[in-house]
Amino acid sequence: MPARRHLLVVAAVCGVGAAVMAVAVAGTSVPTATDAAVSGRVDAHEPMPYAVAQALDVVGTAPVATALAVVVAAACLFARHRRGAALALAGPALAVATTSGLKPVVGRTIHGENLAFPSGHTAAVATAIVVTAALAVAGAARLRAPAALAVVLTVAVIGGGAMALGQVTLMAHYPSDTLGGLAIAFCVVVLAGEVVDLVADGRARRRHRDFPTERNGAAGPGE
């Protein structure tokens, strides 16, 4: 995974931030002061057309999100980037599972009894899928750490921000729910990428140990 150390630092910050937000909004059913201010500005200025927000909401549904993840995985396989394919399937699935499991634990609700924190739409599509795609591209292109980090963070902010704005426009989530979804998904995907790398690296080391003649065309273990 490109920029591994830097991404792990960002993931740790996201994880801690999401935990702090979860504790702050646990068991509540009203927006925070910041939520109210952000929602008010979105409602007043309408930065995203309602139709676009609805379209993004559809993209975040389970069938469409699953299809997108499969497409990303297939593209990675076509490019012979197996690690990217594994992450494309595992990352979004783990992000959705994490957000779904956290919702009843946090217990924040909106519009009655609808569990709100963290936003699964923001986590699944806008963050998890686009971040896995960005990581795969950065890995396949062998980008240096600064470039890889810039690509991944930019994609996360744009993708997550678009879905977050859509969810707030539809009043489906409080702004902090979407921020929590983005942070959790980024953290989960980066950790999943780390696991994929560790497993793949371990298999490569075992293969090279068991079949030393296959490594770089070597004639024997002494090379």
Side-chain angles (χ1 to χ4, degrees):
M1 182 169 57
R4 175 180 290 181
R5 293 180 181 177
H6 300 85
L7 286 170
L8 286 173
V9 171
V10 177
V13 172
C14 286
V16 172
V20 171
M21 283 189 287
V23 171
V25 303
T28 64
S29 58
V30 294
T32 64
T34 302
D35 285 333
V38 173
S39 296
R41 291 184 67 85
V42 170
D43 186 55
H45 298 285
E46 298 181 354
M48 176 177 286
Y50 197 81
V52 174
Q54 287 181 311
L56 287 174
D57 189 66
V58 172
V59 172
T61 58
V64 179
T66 301
L68 288 174
V70 170
V71 168
V72 173
C76 289
L77 287 176
F78 181 78
R80 298 183 179 181
H81 188 43
R82 294 181 180 179
R83 297 187 187 200
L87 182 58
L89 296 176
L94 290 172
V96 171
T98 302
T99 55
S100 298
L102 284 174
K103 281 186 177 183
V105 175
V106 177
R108 189 188 202 187
T109 57
I110 189 171
H111 305 315
E113 297 301 316
N114 297 304
L115 294 173
F117 186 97
S119 167
H121 273 65
T122 307
V125 181
T127 306
I129 293 177
V130 297
V131 169
T132 54
L135 285 170
V137 169
R142 300 182 183 277
L143 297 180
R144 292 177 179 268
L149 183 64
V151 168
V152 174
L153 292 181
T154 299
V155 166
V157 170
I158 292 175
M163 182 63 81
L165 181 58
Q167 292 296 292
V168 174
T169 298
L170 296 175
M171 294 184 289
H173 281 283
Y174 303 114
S176 54
D177 300 333
T178 63
L179 183 58
L182 192 159
I184 290 169
F186 190 92
C187 181
V188 169
V189 168
V190 170
L191 292 178
E194 181 73 6
V195 172
V196 168
D197 276 346
L198 289 174
V199 171
D201 289 344
R203 291 182 62 183
R205 284 193 295 270
R206 287 193 297 272
R207 185 170 62 251
H208 290 172
R209 181 190 63 208
D210 296 336
F211 305 99
T213 57
E214 292 183 2
R215 181 174 56 199
N216 298 324
E223 246 179 58

